[in-house]
Amino acid sequence: MSKSRNRFVLFGLCLLLLAGMSSINPSAYAGSDQKRIIILGFDGADPNMIRAYNADPATRLPHLTKLAGQGTFVDLGTAIPAQSPVSWASFATGLEPGNTGIFDFLRRDFNDLGEPSAKISLSNPTPKKFTELPEYDKLLLVSYIALVVVLIFFAGVLKLLFRRSLAQAIVIAFIIDFVLGVAGYFLLPVFNEKYGWIPEEVAVASKSRDGKSFWKILDENGIKPIMLNIPVTFPADAEPLKHGHLTTGLGTPDLRKGWGTFTVFVDDQGKGSTETGGHIINVLSVNGKGTAQIPGLDPIDTSLKRKLTEEQYKAKTKEINEQTKIPVEIAIDQPNHSVTLKVGETDLPTLKQREWSDWVELEFPMTPLVTISGIVKFCLVETAPLRLYMTPINFNPDRLASAASISTPRRLARDLYDEIGFYCTLGWPIPTNPLKDEMIDEETFLAEVDNIVEDRKKIMYNQMDVEDWQVF
């Protein structure tokens, strides 16, 4: 999505095109006669474009035309500047950009030396102590369980082998357990400093948009909103809902903290990057058998930038990039225009040309105790020369890190996975950049658009079955 593109975000069509609260009553979904309202949001939908489509029978939009006929179709002014995040922030809060704090896709920031720099305005990465995260609590729980197991083990050994009474065995085992616990308490930081088992701090997203959203106000007043794929809401836990549901949209990053960092495996050019920042990975192949690697991740411990020199940090980043790379084996069958893949330890079914794989789980072992999980899909664009496209790495809704707050309540993301399986979590999943970079063709692009629409429909129908919602 171009940062400089002027957008006329029409929130009227988006808006209560649906004739308002009095005309919407989808009681078939919730078994209730109470009036409800549905709001449709179309990013970049210029009203003149809608009129032009409707004027031509070949491009007529019958459903929107019917809705407009039942209610009102009017032009609305938009936020200034007319850009997606600016307009969506105003839509959410009813505030001007001066009060939402969103003026562009980018925001001005300053580094540690006071030098100005540009950063994405959709969310703010903020360092947070690892000991303040739920993951640390889980590690503590595992440690406590381990100490109990050790206590039981030593008590059993003392009683059976040394013929101690049960009381003596428990007391001696408790003393041993206590000594081990104290030793671990003092030695663990020493080992952690050397081996980096537990990060000192990690980057956690914080909300960049100011102002209270209308769905938060509804929720506080006991009105249950269901808000799906809403832009400029990541992280979702920055504005939690007590009664309603929300999934984040535009502004939700990929696992590399980018906005859609894709990967293409090729056999006819060197390793590098595309114009929009996608990864190009060269496949080393002999007799149709090729190997490559999915690039690894950068360090998650943000304290390393303070502790290490620039050269040391570059070396550490390279080390972690190497240890988190995932091997890919590719068997190319050119006569049948197909490939067979092995990603890590996972064997995938044969992919034919322009065929998409199912979601594939990727595991990145950042430290011996911390692993980050993501999901991707593959599409074979062509075999000669090889073009194997891999989507940006989405968050794994089945194994979300606490920093990946893509829904409120938090359990909603996992509940959706339990109901419909894996789904795309990236805020802007449409592969516009790969198409612009000529890494995929229009047929592949449109097929992925269809896939994403199916994902969105599954989530929408699932949430329409939720009882007692009043705004959707």
Side-chain angles (χ1 to χ4, degrees):
M1 183 183 300
S2 171
K3 302 184 184 91
S4 61
R5 183 191 308 172
N6 279 339
R7 293 197 175 274
F8 196 103
V9 182
L10 175 64
F11 292 115
L13 212 147
C14 308
L15 90 126
L16 315 170
L17 232 174
L18 308 152
M21 194 176 286
S22 61
S23 65
I24 302 299
N25 184 20
S27 56
Y29 283 100
S32 170
D33 290 331
Q34 68 180 356
K35 302 301 181 182
R36 293 186 171 90
I37 185 170
I38 296 177
I39 303 172
L40 302 179
F42 297 90
D43 190 292
D46 188 303
N48 293 322
M49 180 178 68
I50 303 298
R51 291 189 183 96
Y53 281 144
N54 281 334
D56 185 347
T59 58
R60 187 172 175 80
L61 305 171
H63 300 297
L64 291 181
T65 300
K66 181 178 179 180
L67 290 172
Q70 293 175 348
T72 302
F73 184 98
V74 296
D75 292 14
L76 290 183
T78 188
I80 299 175
Q83 294 184 350
S84 291
V86 184
S87 297
W88 283 111
S90 294
F91 163 76
T93 62
L95 301 175
E96 295 181 352
N99 292 316
T100 65
I102 304 293
F103 302 97
D104 198 327
F105 280 88
L106 301 176
R107 62 181 173 84
R108 193 182 188 202
D109 202 358
F110 297 89
N111 60 23
D112 295 337
L113 300 177
E115 299 169 337
S117 62
K119 293 187 177 180
I120 297 293
S121 66
L122 303 183
S123 64
N124 295 319
T126 304
K128 190 172 185 178
K129 295 290 185 182
F130 187 78
T131 52
E132 299 175 4
L133 299 178
E135 284 84 352
Y136 182 74
D137 295 334
K138 293 177 183 178
L139 286 177
L140 284 181
L141 179 61
V142 171
S143 300
Y144 295 148
I145 293 174
L147 287 174
V148 171
V149 171
V150 170
L151 175 65
I152 295 172
F153 172 77
F154 277 115
V157 169
L158 289 168
K159 179 169 177 55
L160 295 175
L161 297 184
F162 295 94
R163 300 183 182 279
R164 300 285 182 176
S165 68
L166 180 60
Q168 288 176 325
I170 292 176
V171 170
I172 296 173
F174 180 82
I175 293 172
I176 296 172
D177 213 31
F178 177 78
V179 170
L180 290 175
V182 171
Y185 179 82
F186 288 101
L187 291 177
L188 183 59
V190 176
F191 281 96
N192 192 53
E193 184 71 24
K194 183 175 182 180
Y195 298 108
W197 292 347
I198 301 174
E200 180 179 329
E201 64 181 28
V202 297
V204 176
S206 59
K207 186 177 72 170
S208 60
R209 191 207 75 220
D210 295 326
K212 185 181 291 187
S213 66
F214 70 82
W215 53 85
K216 178 66 173 178
I217 295 172
L218 293 174
D219 189 75
E220 290 175 343
N221 287 275
I223 298 173
K224 188 172 187 176
I226 303 291
M227 312 299 294
L228 302 180
N229 195 34
I230 306 300
V232 202
T233 54
F234 182 82
D237 58 11
E239 200 173 49
L241 300 179
K242 182 179 179 181
H243 305 286
H245 293 173
L246 178 141
T247 62
T248 60
L250 177 66
T252 306
D254 58 35
L255 204 64
R256 299 188 188 278
K257 305 174 187 177
W259 309 110
T261 309
F262 62 91
T263 303
V264 181
F265 297 91
V266 303
D267 62 1
D268 65 340
Q269 56 183 291
K271 181 178 178 181
S273 298
T274 69
E275 185 177 345
T276 63
H279 292 138
I280 298 177
I281 306 299
N282 193 46
V283 177
L284 303 176
S285 61
V286 178
N287 298 326
K289 303 287 186 179
T291 59
Q293 291 179 315
I294 296 173
L297 302 182
D298 289 340
I300 60 173
D301 191 340
T302 56
S303 70
L304 294 177
K305 283 190 174 182
R306 297 194 312 270
K307 294 177 180 179
L308 305 178
T309 65
E310 185 176 349
E311 290 302 316
Q312 289 173 330
Y313 183 74
K314 287 181 179 179
K316 187 65 176 178
T317 298
K318 184 177 180 180
E319 175 190 335
I320 293 178
N321 285 161
E322 288 295 325
Q323 79 180 32
T324 56
K325 285 181 177 179
I326 297 176
V328 179
E329 297 178 14
I330 305 174
I332 306 170
D333 185 351
Q334 290 191 2
N336 292 309
H337 304 287
S338 64
V339 296
T340 303
L341 303 176
K342 182 177 182 180
V343 181
E345 298 300 320
T346 304
D347 292 305
L348 305 186
T350 298
L351 279 182
K352 296 180 180 179
Q353 191 162 318
R354 293 192 175 86
E355 184 178 11
W356 286 86
S357 72
D358 292 332
W359 288 104
V360 181
E361 292 186 73
L362 303 181
E363 302 290 333
F364 297 92
M366 306 306 297
T367 77
L369 297 178
V370 178
T371 296
I372 295 178
S373 179
I375 56 173
V376 298
K377 292 190 300 182
F378 293 87
C379 179
L380 177 61
V381 181
E382 56 182 328
T383 56
L386 177 66
R387 289 286 186 281
L388 178 66
Y389 173 77
M390 186 185 87
T391 65
I393 307 173
N394 286 240
F395 293 124
N396 184 345
D398 185 36
R399 295 180 56 190
L400 281 176
S402 61
S405 177
I406 61 174
S407 70
T408 179
R410 182 174 180 80
R411 69 176 183 277
L412 175 61
R414 174 61 186 271
D415 290 345
L416 288 171
Y417 164 77
D418 290 338
E419 292 287 336
I420 68 173
F422 288 124
Y423 55 90
C424 58
T425 63
L426 184 63
W428 184 255
I430 306 298
T432 48
N433 283 340
L435 182 64
K436 288 190 292 186
D437 290 336
E438 298 182 346
M439 292 291 105
I440 62 174
D441 54 26
E442 289 189 3
E443 185 174 341
T444 304
F445 171 84
L446 292 174
E448 178 64 343
V449 171
D450 287 340
N451 294 336
I452 294 164
V453 169
E454 287 303 310
D455 267 0
R456 297 286 193 246
K457 285 168 63 176
K458 290 177 184 177
I459 293 173
M460 181 186 72
Y461 289 133
N462 175 275
Q463 289 299 288
M464 291 194 83
D465 283 335
V466 173
E467 294 183 355
D468 301 328
W469 62 263
Q470 292 167 272
V471 177
F472 197 100

